[in-house]
Amino acid sequence: MERELEEIFIRQRLRLTKPRRIIFNVMHATDTPLSIAAIAKLCPSVERTSVYRTLELFVQLGIVETVARGWKQQYELASPFNSHHHHLTCSLCGKVIDIYSKKFEMLVGAISHENQFVAQDHTLEIRGHCVVCR
């Protein structure tokens, strides 16, 4: 993990600073998308503005991807740091369930092929009610 991160920064001729490493490690240690506020809280030694700038940079570099949660955005590690997946989100309690579906990936490929389209990226967010809230 750490080596892949370093290689990305070397290729881009950027410095992998201590705050950037801290933010990456916090995100790597969690298995759920995090808000900027949550990331800032988990990184008390990093200034909040650095958290914002680092997340913006991580998105640009493809290290992190955004996950829409209502009108807010959350962040999680992208591939190769996290397996490609989609989300089921409970609109009542906010619980997020990661889904890994070969069938869905095959459907994306088939739809793209039918339309003579080369998909570069895709996301699927399904909102509803979890078993507890139902």
Side-chain angles (χ1 to χ4, degrees), residues 96-116:
V96 178
I97 302 167
D98 292 343
I99 53 173
Y100 303 86
S101 173
K102 289 181 183 178
K103 290 178 185 176
F104 178 71
E105 299 307 323
M106 289 172 50
L107 179 62
V108 169
I111 291 169
S112 297
H113 180 75
E114 286 174 8
N115 291 282
Q116 299 177 355

Side-chain angles (χ1 to χ4, degrees), residues 23-122:
I23 292 167
F24 177 84
N25 289 334
V26 161
M27 295 187 73
H28 184 258
T30 187
D31 60 351
T32 185
L34 297 170
S35 66
I36 290 177
I39 295 168
K41 188 174 182 179
L42 293 168
C43 303
S45 64
V46 180
E47 292 183 32
R48 193 174 185 97
T49 55
S50 292
V51 172
Y52 280 94
R53 288 187 194 123
T54 298
L55 289 173
E56 184 178 304
L57 176 63
F58 281 5
V59 168
Q60 290 173 0
L61 296 176
I63 296 166
V64 164
E65 55 191 15
T66 59
V67 178
R69 293 287 179 262
W71 53 274
K72 294 183 179 182
Q73 290 202 356
Q74 294 184 333
Y75 300 84
E76 68 180 356
L77 292 179
S79 183
F81 307 106
N82 196 0
S83 298
H84 180 73
H85 63 280
H86 303 281
H87 303 102
L88 301 173
T89 304
C90 180
S91 54
L92 296 176
C93 71
K95 179 180 180 175
V96 178
I97 302 167
D98 292 343
I99 53 173
Y100 303 86
S101 173
K102 289 181 183 178
K103 290 178 185 176
F104 178 71
E105 299 307 323
M106 289 172 50
L107 179 62
V108 169
I111 291 169
S112 297
H113 180 75
E114 286 174 8
N115 291 282
Q116 299 177 355
F117 186 81
V118 177
Q120 295 176 327
D121 192 16
H122 64 272

